[in-house]
Amino acid sequence: MKEIEVISKFTVYNKITELNAEEQKVMTKAISMLDSAYAPYSKFYVGGAAMTESGNVYGGCNQENASYPLCICGERVALFNAGANEPTTPIKILAIVCHNPKVIIETPVSPCGACRQVISEFELRHNSKIKILLKGDSDIIYKLNSGQDLLPMSFNSSYL
Ligand code: THU
């Protein structure tokens, strides 16, 4: 018998200006995407942005539907936007921001399980880690160095 410990780390920043220039650019795009979110049912607005290794930034935001299960998360729209435009380029930074007019979200949003699985696939597909930046309403930003920190032991193509 042996025990295996999985350690996950993230860094806490107190304001956006503590990030490097590239990170600030992606975070600023994610914040701007909040205005395009289509969330008439939940009123939970999510903006996302993904920067590829070529330096291009692709935005996304959540897209809801009266048929609730069809709703798609903002970070997935951003990732798929990047994947559709640059299918062979690794993604280096993903920023995710949320806003709920009913509640002040002090702590940064944490992506849902489905989005974690999608982030994992993008990392494995390009064999490249994605830096993840998370933000709520306050200035606090969390930074993770890889999707692996959000989803250790992910399901992957090696089982197929
Ligand atoms: N949502 C996201 O966009 N990202 C997440 O990580 C969690 C949830 C969206 C989906 C839906 O439009 C709304 O937030 C409420 O669940």
Side-chain angles (χ1 to χ4, degrees):
M1 188 279 243
K2 67 172 175 178
E3 223 174 9
I4 297 174
E5 191 179 23
V6 180
I7 296 172
S8 198
K9 280 198 302 190
F10 61 94
T11 313
V12 181
Y13 295 89
N14 292 314
K15 48 182 183 313
I16 192 169
T17 48
E18 292 175 5
L19 301 175
N20 71 30
E22 270 188 341
E23 292 164 352
Q24 286 190 40
K25 187 175 172 187
V26 187
M27 179 51 80
T28 302
K29 176 71 177 176
I31 294 168
S32 77
M33 291 310 299
L34 283 173
D35 294 334
S36 310
Y38 179 63
Y41 306 106
S42 72
K43 304 270 195 291
F44 184 77
Y45 302 93
V46 180
M51 178 185 268
T52 60
E53 287 290 351
S54 48
N56 296 319
V57 181
Y58 299 92
C61 48
N62 53 335
Q63 303 292 323
E64 297 192 346
N65 195 285
S67 175
Y68 291 176
L70 302 183
C71 295
I72 180 161
C73 296
E75 52 272 59
R76 255 183 291 162
V77 174
L79 286 170
F80 291 155
N81 187 8
N85 280 285
E86 292 188 50
T88 58
T89 320
I91 292 169
K92 63 194 289 198
I93 306 172
L94 171 68
I96 309 165
V97 189
C98 68
H99 173 66
N100 180 347
K102 292 168 287 181
V103 192
I104 294 170
I105 304 169
E106 291 286 347
T107 312
V109 65
S110 193
C112 77
C115 288
R116 292 172 197 221
Q117 182 67 28
V118 170
I119 293 167
S120 169
E121 181 85 20
F122 269 94
E123 289 193 333
L124 293 167
R125 162 179 173 179
H126 297 298
N127 190 25
S128 170
K129 287 182 182 175
I130 301 176
K131 242 191 278 178
I132 302 168
L133 304 169
L134 307 173
K135 186 181 173 304
D137 286 312
S138 75
D139 290 337
I140 295 168
I141 292 170
Y142 290 173
K143 179 166 94 177
L144 298 102
N145 286 323
S146 165
Q148 281 302 303
D149 288 318
L150 285 172
L151 189 67
M153 300 176 68
S154 63
F155 182 76
N156 60 68
S157 63
S158 68
Y159 307 118
L160 302 176

